Structure formats: structure tokens, C-alpha cells
Amino acid sequence: MYEAGCGIPRPDTVSPFWQSEYCMLADGYKEGKEERVPAMDCAPFLAKVIYHGLTVANATAWQFWNAWEPGSAEFDSRYYMIALKIYAANTDGDFAVTKNLWALGHYSRFIRPGMKRIVVVRKDEPDSRKAAQDVMLCAFTGKKELVVVAVNYTTSSRDILLDMPGVKRMKNKRQYVTSAGAEDNMRLYPLP
């Protein structure tokens, strides 16, 4: 979805590129907050950055720079998807998966190489800045599949009605959810 005047070249005038080595450096991910940021706030921010990389910048691939690092899985997990807990002797330890892993997973698990992004038109017609604070939708199609990734950046539950003209029949519809809940890590939920 190209927006005139956004400062980004039109996708059809730019060579395909991969976004690589991304990490939430500095404190932009805090979006003005002074206190430590819960991991569940880092994850939607990461999903928002991926969304914009794929839909506004039109990247053909997206990679996170750092998979694991010593740190907390509960707060300020901006640098990693897996938090390492190294014991004092540095000879042993444990790990915890952060919500960032699941945020990235909603894209990487379902959007497969060779899929093409298709334009999503919303009836409420938000620009990319408004959608970034609301619900962001992107869709990709493969040989016989359609993948829709929805990122809800609000604090309330949202229902999404997909109207897909030209799609005669869909089988195997599935919905995966990641939320602040301990068990909600790309958890398969029944469709309404």
C-alpha cells in the first residue's frame, strides 16, 4: 500500500530488497514511556515494524538481528526473541521465550517464500499512521492458500470481518493468537 507524499519511493520503482539485521535499538520502541516496557508491549511494536517493512517499504524478506541474549523475558525484551538466564559460574543456565518470537512467528510461520502480497482495502480507510495505532492487516497468497496477518495494537479485543470477493470457498480456516496470556503464543483459537 503506497501512500503519496510519505517520503518512500513507489514500490514499482525500487529494486526488490531484504530488510536484514533489525533490532529495536535506542528507545523508540518505548513510544514515550519512561518506565520499563513489558515484553507484551515490545512484541506488538516489533509486529508493527515488520508490518511497515512489508507493506509500506515493500521488503521482500524481513529478518531479526539477534535471536538470543542474556536478559529478562518479562521486560525490555527488545534485543532478542529468547532470553538467556546464565548462572553465576557461566557454565550453565536456562532460557525463556519472549513474546517477540511469537510476534515474528505470525509472519515467518505462515508467509512462505514465493508468496505474493496482495492489497488489503479496509472500509474505514485508515492511513498507515492511523492503522499503526489500531489494527494492521496484511495478506499474502500462495498457490492454494491465503494468509492474513492482523496486528491489534489496541488494548481491546477486535473482531475482523474479511470480505474476499472472488474467493468461492475456503477450507481449513485457522486463527492463531498471541496475547499477554501465558498460553497465548501463536495459540490456535476456534473461529467465531
Side-chain angles (χ1 to χ4, degrees):
M1 142 176 41
Y2 173 76
E3 292 178 28
C6 68
I8 299 172
R10 288 177 43 105
D12 58 349
T13 65
V14 178
S15 297
F17 75 97
W18 286 17
Q19 191 307 130
S20 64
E21 302 179 16
Y22 177 81
C23 184
M24 289 182 257
L25 296 173
D27 61 0
Y29 75 100
K30 289 186 168 189
E31 296 186 305
K33 298 174 190 158
E34 295 293 326
E35 65 278 356
R36 294 188 322 170
V37 176
M40 193 54 223
D41 288 354
C42 289
F45 185 85
L46 175 61
K48 175 168 56 171
V49 170
I50 297 169
Y51 165 83
H52 281 90
L54 297 175
T55 63
V56 177
N58 212 29
T60 56
W62 202 98
Q63 292 125 25
F64 195 78
W65 171 245
N66 202 8
W68 65 83
E69 191 163 303
S72 168
E74 303 303 320
F75 291 95
D76 293 327
S77 60
R78 65 187 181 170
Y79 295 123
Y80 44 84
M81 293 178 281
I82 299 171
L84 300 178
K85 300 175 193 175
I86 300 172
Y87 299 149
N90 289 329
T91 58
D92 200 0
D94 203 353
F95 69 92
V97 173
T98 73
K99 293 291 184 176
N100 289 340
L101 179 72
W102 309 113
L104 176 62
H106 281 279
Y107 292 95
S108 62
R109 167 67 176 89
F110 303 108
I111 302 169
R112 306 308 308 151
M115 291 183 122
K116 302 291 183 197
R117 185 169 62 86
I118 57 176
V119 175
V120 173
V121 178
R122 290 178 49 168
K123 289 183 180 181
D124 59 346
E125 300 179 0
D127 63 21
S128 63
R129 288 179 184 92
K130 184 173 186 275
Q133 298 304 318
D134 189 42
V135 175
M136 294 162 273
L137 296 167
C138 58
F140 298 80
T141 178
K143 290 180 182 175
K144 291 186 177 185
E145 59 191 332
L146 172 69
V147 172
V148 177
V149 178
V151 178
N152 181 358
Y153 211 70
T154 72
T155 57
S156 58
S157 179
R158 302 291 289 276
D159 291 327
I160 298 170
L161 175 63
L162 298 176
D163 181 19
M164 296 175 281
V167 176
K168 295 178 182 160
R169 189 175 86 131
M170 290 183 59
K171 14 183 218 177
N172 301 324
K173 293 185 279 187
R174 295 181 301 260
Q175 169 181 257
Y176 294 86
V177 174
T178 295
S179 75
E183 301 299 318
D184 282 351
N185 297 321
M186 286 181 54
R187 184 176 177 190
L188 180 60
Y189 267 77
L191 285 164

